[in-house]
Amino acid sequence: MQTEIINISWLNVTITTLLIIATGLCSLYLKLKLEQDLLIGTIRTFLQLLLLGYVLNAVFSLRNPFIVFLLFSFMIFFAARIISGRVREKRIPYFAPVLASMFLSYMIINIFVMTVIIQVKPWYQPVYFIPIGGMIIGNSMNAIAISINTWFDGLRKEYDRIELFLALGASPSESTRENFKGAVKSGMIPSINALMSVGIVSIPGMMTGQMLAGIDPLIAIKYQIVIMLLLVGSTALSSIFALHIVRKISFTANYQLKI
Amino acid sequence: MSSSLLRIQNISFSYPDGKPVFERIDLNIRKGTLSIISGESGAGKSTFLKLFNRFHDLTDGKIFFHERELRDYQISEIRRSILYLPQLPHMIEGSVEDNLFFPFTFQSQKDKKYSPVNAREWLDYFQLGVSLSHEASKLSVGQRQRIALIRALLLEPEVLLLDEPCSSLDSRNRRLIEEKIESLVESRGVTAIMATHGDVNFSESVCAFFRLEDRHLKALQRHEKQGA
């Protein structure tokens, strides 16, 4: 089933801003004070996506592995910045180790999908590598932020218990075994919930996009299944990896809790 | 001073922000003695105890354990031998036995063997009147304090660091714990360092009294001990 792609004209794209104007008027009427954010948000959406379109166009046409690698690294760096903004703990320097763990786990997973599942040739073909990589980063970024916050909250809440365990001879990993499990689980729950509800509650964005581009829904679902499973795997791998490092730097070499 | 179990040589400690807690302290602790460290709240008594199990690191000076510098030991060796008991006796979910047993699952304590018979003897010694299967959450504060002591004693450490073990107890329970601690030192050769900010009733034959004040540790004379 192939349908012709309808290219929306820029005039029609601009017409959709009427919805934003209507929302702005509602905000004024209800005194929600959202007008400024709506205006800035709309301008940013136009500019950021326009920029992304040009960048992707250039990257897709160049097909240079170095450029793909650079763009992917740039995306991971910004995801790590977003995580560090969301995590409330500021004393323990987790940014660099978390960035390294994200980089490593996303690279492993993305290369695995490219070479084994989709079997793209060459494996770094940007039209596959970048969008799928982006989905991995976007999803597991949230999971890592939730996991790290849960971890530090647990350390603060259970400080006395952890100190007792350390005093009785436990190592950092022995004294925080349950905290670690809880932190990984809390990050995993949204992607496991997504597995349960996909296709019933919502048609996923990627599948919708493929179908709008004229792809047969039966091909689109295969991609979607791969993506869903991939997101669970990458979320688990990256958050476990990141939490291992965060756990290590939460204690000194002499098993003292740094918080 | 070769008979010292712990030898503290000119130690100073400051918090990471540079605020000094104590300066140039010397002290010798012999095996089978009880050292009472008194002082106001905030004088640094807990911090002082936590130097011995390396929860804190010295800013200056040296601590020797068996005449070997403390920092030359592996951290797991220190935590096995020098056991710090926090002020509040934390219990994990489960029975009294769960609470006594769990430290034996730690890698550093793996060579020690948990004995239920031994545990029951300690319950009797501390006059707890509860069985090993008793729910820990149903214990009173005084009972929890004694369970915490038994948990430490079952691990047979060489030194016990007791951080105000009687602070939240009524006078009857306080007296009971003090008697038991004294008896442990006197008849079983346990070595203990105990922080306190209230009155204590220990006999002078087994105890050495010190006061942590103005960043220095002062040995107390007989007439100064009351209200230590």
Side-chain angles (χ1 to χ4, degrees), chain B residues 1-131:
Chain B
M1 282 296 178
S2 58
S3 57
S4 293
L5 184 60
L6 279 163
R7 185 158 59 87
I8 294 134
Q9 197 179 70
N10 203 23
I11 62 165
S12 301
F13 177 79
S14 305
Y15 287 128
D17 62 5
K19 187 186 160 205
V21 185
F22 29 79
E23 292 166 347
R24 298 185 303 278
I25 289 178
D26 291 292
L27 181 67
N28 287 314
I29 290 168
R30 290 165 189 271
K31 192 171 165 28
T33 58
L34 172 61
S35 305
I36 308 286
I37 314 288
S38 64
E40 295 299 320
S41 290
K45 301 184 296 293
S46 297
T47 307
F48 183 72
L49 291 187
K50 287 177 179 180
L51 292 173
F52 297 102
N53 78 336
R54 295 204 65 188
F55 268 169
H56 293 306
D57 290 321
L58 296 170
T59 310
D60 203 9
K62 288 172 180 175
I63 295 177
F64 294 90
F65 179 51
H66 287 296
E67 292 305 323
R68 182 176 158 206
E69 211 180 324
L70 205 58
R71 63 175 171 205
D72 292 338
Y73 285 88
Q74 282 197 344
I75 197 71
S76 55
E77 281 180 84
I78 293 170
R79 301 274 163 88
R80 276 166 57 88
S81 309
I82 303 175
L83 206 151
Y84 170 79
L85 245 88
Q87 193 171 340
L88 293 173
H90 185 95
M91 295 286 119
I92 62 162
E93 266 182 55
S95 64
V96 166
E97 185 158 43
D98 293 332
N99 272 279
L100 299 178
F101 176 71
F102 80 82
F104 290 86
T105 64
F106 300 149
Q107 199 57 43
S108 68
Q109 309 279 16
K110 270 275 160 65
D111 60 321
K112 296 178 183 171
K113 199 160 165 48
Y114 171 76
S115 153
V117 176
N118 203 3
R120 274 188 217 102
E121 280 173 13
W122 280 117
L123 292 181
D124 291 342
Y125 177 83
F126 278 99
Q127 299 168 25
L128 264 147
V130 294
S131 68

Side-chain angles (χ1 to χ4, degrees), chain A residues 1-216:
Chain A
M1 193 190 85
Q2 293 283 324
T3 52
E4 200 179 318
I5 300 166
I6 301 168
N7 189 359
I8 310 173
S9 71
W10 276 112
L11 177 67
N12 289 357
V13 171
T14 315
I15 288 172
T16 50
T17 56
L18 286 174
L19 293 171
I20 300 297
I21 292 168
T23 313
L25 290 173
C26 287
S27 167
L28 274 175
Y29 179 70
L30 296 170
K31 297 191 172 68
L32 302 178
K33 293 184 178 170
L34 292 172
E35 309 87 67
Q36 200 182 345
D37 287 346
L38 275 169
L39 179 68
I40 294 170
T42 308
I43 293 170
R44 280 188 65 158
T45 300
F46 267 88
L47 291 178
Q48 285 167 199
L49 289 180
L50 206 60
L51 183 68
L52 177 70
Y54 279 112
V55 170
L56 289 181
N57 229 341
V59 173
F60 289 178
S61 58
L62 281 172
R63 300 181 74 177
N64 178 328
F66 179 71
I67 302 283
V68 172
F69 180 78
L70 205 67
L71 180 60
F72 194 52
S73 308
F74 181 77
M75 290 158 74
I76 296 172
F77 177 79
F78 270 87
R81 285 274 304 265
I82 291 170
I83 291 172
S84 101
R86 287 190 200 164
V87 173
R88 292 177 287 273
E89 172 58 45
K90 301 294 172 205
R91 280 170 297 177
I92 295 176
Y94 56 83
F95 179 78
V98 166
L99 176 66
S101 74
M102 287 168 76
F103 189 80
L104 202 63
S105 49
Y106 296 162
M107 271 294 173
I108 291 169
I109 287 178
N110 212 6
I111 291 172
F112 166 76
V113 173
M114 294 300 126
T115 53
V116 179
I117 309 295
I118 309 179
Q119 299 184 356
V120 187
K121 287 188 179 90
W123 62 267
Y124 56 82
Q125 205 180 113
V127 72
Y128 288 91
F129 197 92
I130 295 298
I132 290 179
M135 276 190 278
I136 296 173
I137 296 170
N139 272 270
S140 55
M141 172 184 84
N142 293 328
I144 293 175
I146 294 170
S147 297
I148 295 178
N149 263 332
T150 309
W151 166 258
F152 284 123
D153 287 348
L155 292 195
R156 275 186 284 268
K157 211 182 291 172
E158 292 195 51
Y159 186 96
D160 291 341
R161 201 241 345 125
I162 295 167
E163 194 179 66
L164 170 73
F165 274 45
L166 293 171
L168 291 168
S171 65
S173 57
E174 285 170 327
S175 58
T176 55
R177 192 163 282 149
E178 292 306 314
N179 302 70
F180 188 89
K181 282 196 240 171
V184 174
K185 266 188 181 172
S186 67
M188 291 292 300
I189 286 169
S191 31
I192 292 172
N193 285 346
L195 278 185
M196 307 289 184
S197 62
V198 68
I200 299 173
V201 181
S202 63
I203 300 176
M206 190 192 78
M207 201 174 147
T208 309
Q210 282 187 314
M211 288 192 297
L212 286 175
I215 302 281
D216 186 333

